[in-house]
Amino acid sequence: NAGVTQTPKFRILKIGQSMTLQCTQDMNHNYMYWYRQDPGMGLKLIYYSVGAGITDKGEVPNGYNVSRSTTEDFPLRLELAAPSQTSVYFCATDRDRNTGELFFGEGSRLTVL
Amino acid sequence: AQSVTQLGSHVSVSEGALVLLRCNYSSSVPPYLFWYVQYPNQGLQLLLKYTSAATLVKGINGFEAEFKKSETSFHLTKPSAHMSDAAEYFCAVEGTGNQFYFGTGTSLTVIP
């Protein structure tokens, strides 16, 4: 089993460009999350989903969009990239509420110049 | 609202010495608390979790943490540090709405 797979691993964008970070899981988990990690700031939740067709905002959703059309996939869309979106992005899953065990992908490092 | 505070962004210990990483939580209800570890260029992985059963929780790789309600703390310890323990450690609390809130992290350096 691959677990949680994120693509791409690295990307450089110009200001104003758009892109999608892909996240796919093969664990049949209902809950999926997108976090961004900035030095000295820990992880901040961008969006999350409790199942196919359901998404909700986290702490820092501005500038991002998500969709969840299947259990397996939870893509994160950046519409107009800004330097403030330079970060490492992590996708994570959880089987169900209150298990407390998030399974993380290896991260996608995005630089906006 | 739930939150966690990690004291000390960098901790250095000698190999074989005690590891102590500090985490204090803020919660109006009994929290679920977690410690995660992140090795370089990898995602986070769960070390241990507290879910209101035993106050002393044992995790992987010899780590343990004790939930102390009176001190609102959930510090992570390991009796004897190993070189392979060098990593970044995050304390987290489960909040409302299926969200997890992470601390700012503590980078552990192990000196040979």
Side-chain angles (χ1 to χ4, degrees):
Chain A
N1 289 342
V4 181
T5 302
Q6 291 183 234
T7 57
K9 285 186 167 43
F10 303 93
R11 183 74 186 268
I12 298 175
L13 282 181
K14 294 182 179 178
I15 294 172
Q17 286 186 321
S18 300
M19 77 159 298
T20 298
L21 300 178
Q22 302 290 346
C23 176
T24 299
Q25 55 111 349
D26 63 1
M27 296 179 288
N28 202 33
H29 285 178
N30 289 319
Y31 291 67
M32 296 188 75
Y33 305 81
W34 272 107
Y35 287 91
R36 59 177 288 171
Q37 182 180 30
D38 300 298
M41 301 293 290
L43 280 78
K44 299 293 185 184
L45 182 64
I46 305 171
Y47 271 95
Y48 67 99
S49 169
V50 301
I54 305 169
T55 62
D56 212 341
K57 296 179 180 179
E59 298 175 85
V60 291
N62 291 345
Y64 306 95
N65 278 301
V66 294
S67 60
R68 183 94 182 271
S69 57
T70 67
T71 298
E72 293 78 20
D73 299 306
F74 190 42
L76 178 71
R77 178 89 178 155
L78 286 72
E79 290 294 347
L80 291 171
S84 61
Q85 293 177 306
T86 294
S87 189
V88 181
Y89 293 84
F90 286 99
C91 179
T93 72
D94 194 357
R95 184 180 72 247
D96 205 343
R97 178 165 173 73
N98 294 337
T99 67
E101 184 168 3
L102 297 178
F103 293 83
F104 283 82
E106 293 188 343
S108 297
R109 184 176 295 273
L110 175 67
T111 302
V112 182
L113 299 174
Chain B
Q2 287 87 347
S3 66
V4 289
T5 302
Q6 291 184 243
L7 300 176
S9 58
H10 298 276
V11 171
S12 294
V13 299
S14 298
E15 191 174 16
L18 172 71
V19 176
L20 170 61
L21 305 182
R22 300 177 187 274
C23 174
N24 288 89
Y25 69 89
S26 172
S27 175
S28 57
V29 298
Y32 285 5
L33 293 161
F34 312 87
W35 276 99
Y36 281 81
V37 60
Q38 184 182 30
Y39 298 104
N41 300 314
Q42 295 186 24
L44 282 70
Q45 62 185 84
L46 183 69
L47 265 182
L48 50 81
K49 63 181 179 182
Y50 167 76
T51 56
S52 72
T55 56
L56 182 62
V57 182
K58 294 188 183 297
I60 61 172
N61 301 337
F63 284 93
E64 61 183 35
E66 186 172 8
F67 174 74
K68 290 187 177 180
K69 185 177 179 180
S70 61
E71 299 178 7
T72 61
S73 68
F74 190 57
H75 301 332
L76 182 71
T77 61
K78 182 174 181 178
S80 177
H82 191 272
M83 296 298 294
S84 60
D85 295 327
E88 185 132 21
Y89 292 80
F90 293 91
C91 183
V93 62
E94 184 170 4
T96 56
N98 309 301
Q99 300 190 34
F100 291 81
Y101 297 94
F102 287 82
T104 52
T106 298
S107 178
L108 176 66
T109 299
V110 182
I111 304 166

